[in-house]
Amino acid sequence: MVIALVGATGLVGQVMIKVLEEQQIPCSKFIPCASARSVGKEVTFRGQPHRVVSVEDALEEKPQVAIFSAGGATSLKYAEAFAAKGTFVIDNSSAWRNDDSVPLVVPEVNSGTINTSTRIIANPNCSTIQMVLAIAPIHLQYGIKRIVISTYQSVTGTGVKAVEQLFNEREGKDGPKAYPHNIDLNCFPHGGDFTPNGYTTEEIKLVNETRKILGNANLKITATVVRIPVIGGHSEAINLELENDFDLDQIYSLLAQTPGIIIQDDPSENLYPMPGFAEGKDEVFVGRIRRDESVPFGLDLWVVADNLRKGAATNAVQIARVLLDKGFVKA
Ligand code: A2P
């Protein structure tokens, strides 16, 4: 399989390379691309140096799969050109997620939506992926009436510049700023841009993408996205109101049986999911599973995952694996 990686020099791109190596995706030719600044640099894939090329040069190679992680503008500019050449585009940006003809995929939940009639497949937002993986089985079994989600998001979700800002502040150094405020020893309820209704673009992504993946356009959901001075993963406090009554033991066994989920929930041992533990792992960790006693069928969860892995790279590589398994691309 010939694979192009657009954004190979970025934070997510570098994790994509690691995950492609670990998951042993068959790859006869690897084509890393990035902006003009990086063309000619080298990245290492499976122990071999590979020269970074322009997106135009990658397009000429007609790869079977192109994984995009270079921001929405690059995806909008090039994804259709790759698709027109028969390439399956797995797009990590938000550019195509709301397009009705584009499947928005968390493979454990809705890999069935991938088909050959569209060559562009959208990878959901990092916060959406980890939440949906945890709540989809609960939704199927009991029906979700309303979701209230508050996130505690790692600076790695904003890219290289944000991580540099955190460490520069910590070391008392000047440098480029990714955020409008200091992030070290601070946090702010601001992810993306503010919109006229008071929500931020990151909050709206969580709402719209969750509705699309769960196939319920009217699902009641409200979100608050908070950036915190953490690397390693995003954490989420998720409050669910279910349609039907449940037994906590059944929720435990449902989550324990869900591929990709690990339960960490033993208050007596101070065991609960944390980003410092989730870092570098592909699973979604769920804990603090408890009944919300303020409403008839309420449930609280604390969900943590490495946003660069399951929230981006791992999910994208799993989509590539689905394409192989379905025979849509040949190894
Ligand atoms: P470059 O390193 O040359 O800037 P991050 O989100 O971690 O900052 O990474 C963004 C990724 O997207 C980088 O690999 C970056 O390349 C790439 N990128 C940014 N703009 C473009 C563009 N116009 N065309 C191709 N790749 C781009």
Side-chain angles (χ1 to χ4, degrees):
M1 183 156 76
V2 178
I3 302 177
L5 177 57
V6 183
T9 52
L11 215 48
V12 173
Q14 289 294 300
V15 181
M16 293 273 185
I17 290 177
K18 265 194 228 161
V19 176
L20 281 166
E21 290 171 339
E22 290 165 9
Q23 308 264 328
Q24 306 200 332
I25 292 287
C27 180
S28 55
K29 185 166 188 185
F30 178 67
I31 311 167
C33 353
S35 76
R37 309 180 269 285
S38 303
V39 168
K41 285 185 184 167
E42 280 187 348
V43 298
T44 303
F45 178 66
R46 297 195 174 148
Q48 299 297 321
H50 287 71
R51 194 176 161 273
V52 174
V53 300
S54 67
V55 187
E56 286 84 0
D57 284 352
L59 186 57
E60 292 311 310
E61 302 265 357
K62 295 188 188 149
Q64 280 146 295
V65 171
I67 302 177
F68 272 65
S69 194
T74 307
S75 298
L76 278 176
K77 189 167 169 194
Y78 293 107
E80 282 176 313
F82 277 84
K85 295 208 182 250
T87 301
F88 275 98
V89 172
I90 302 171
D91 183 32
N92 195 46
S93 81
S94 58
W96 300 95
R97 290 180 192 149
N98 293 332
D99 187 315
D100 285 341
S101 67
V102 171
L104 181 64
V105 179
V106 179
E108 296 90 339
V109 177
N110 64 342
S111 64
T113 56
I114 298 177
N115 60 76
T116 46
S117 66
T118 166
R119 285 281 191 276
I120 303 177
I121 301 162
N123 212 36
N125 176 264
C126 41
S127 303
T128 308
I129 292 175
Q130 66 184 74
M131 173 168 76
V132 165
L133 189 62
I135 68 172
I138 298 171
H139 183 53
L140 267 183
Q141 186 88 17
Y142 302 100
I144 292 176
K145 196 168 168 188
R146 181 165 186 257
I147 305 170
V148 180
I149 170 166
S150 305
T151 71
Y152 304 69
Q153 295 189 198
S154 157
V155 294
T156 55
T158 319
V160 175
K161 206 166 134 189
V163 180
E164 275 174 21
Q165 179 179 339
L166 172 62
F167 284 101
N168 281 340
E169 286 173 15
R170 198 156 283 189
E171 291 159 21
K173 286 198 248 166
D174 283 337
K177 299 276 183 200
Y179 300 122
H181 304 284
N182 277 7
I183 183 68
D184 192 26
L185 301 175
N186 197 15
C187 73
F188 31 82
H190 182 178
D193 301 317
F194 283 99
T195 70
N197 68 359
Y199 282 83
T200 65
T201 46
E202 294 293 300
E203 290 160 353
I204 292 171
K205 283 178 197 173
L206 260 165
V207 170
N208 292 341
E209 294 178 21
T210 303
R211 286 178 173 160
K212 181 166 172 175
I213 297 165
L214 295 184
N216 181 351
N218 299 315
L219 187 70
K220 290 182 180 169
I221 167 168
T222 185
T224 303
V225 163
V226 180
R227 190 72 60 185
I228 62 170
V230 154
I231 57 167
H234 291 351
S235 305
E236 299 179 337
I238 301 174
N239 177 260
L240 302 176
E241 202 178 335
L242 305 185
E243 300 278 3
N244 298 292
D245 202 4
F246 62 89
D247 185 279
L248 264 189
D249 288 341
Q250 290 169 349
I251 298 283
Y252 267 89
S253 53
L254 199 55
L255 291 171
Q257 287 160 23
T258 302
I261 286 185
I262 292 181
I263 295 180
Q264 290 183 314
D265 198 5
D266 187 352
S268 71
E269 296 289 335
N270 300 324
L271 179 67
Y272 29 73
M274 294 184 288
F277 180 84
E279 183 171 15
K281 303 191 175 69
D282 289 317
E283 292 85 3
V284 170
F285 298 87
V286 184
R288 300 295 319 278
I289 303 166
R290 63 202 189 278
R291 192 174 273 277
D292 164 8
E293 294 173 346
S294 70
V295 286
F297 310 137
L299 179 68
D300 280 303
L301 307 172
W302 175 252
V303 176
V304 178
D306 184 330
N307 53 300
L308 299 179
R309 285 212 165 227
K310 184 56 182 165
T314 304
N315 201 71
V317 173
Q318 285 175 323
I319 292 172
R321 172 68 68 190
V322 173
L323 292 172
L324 278 167
D325 291 348
K326 289 189 181 227
F328 295 169
V329 294
K330 298 274 179 279

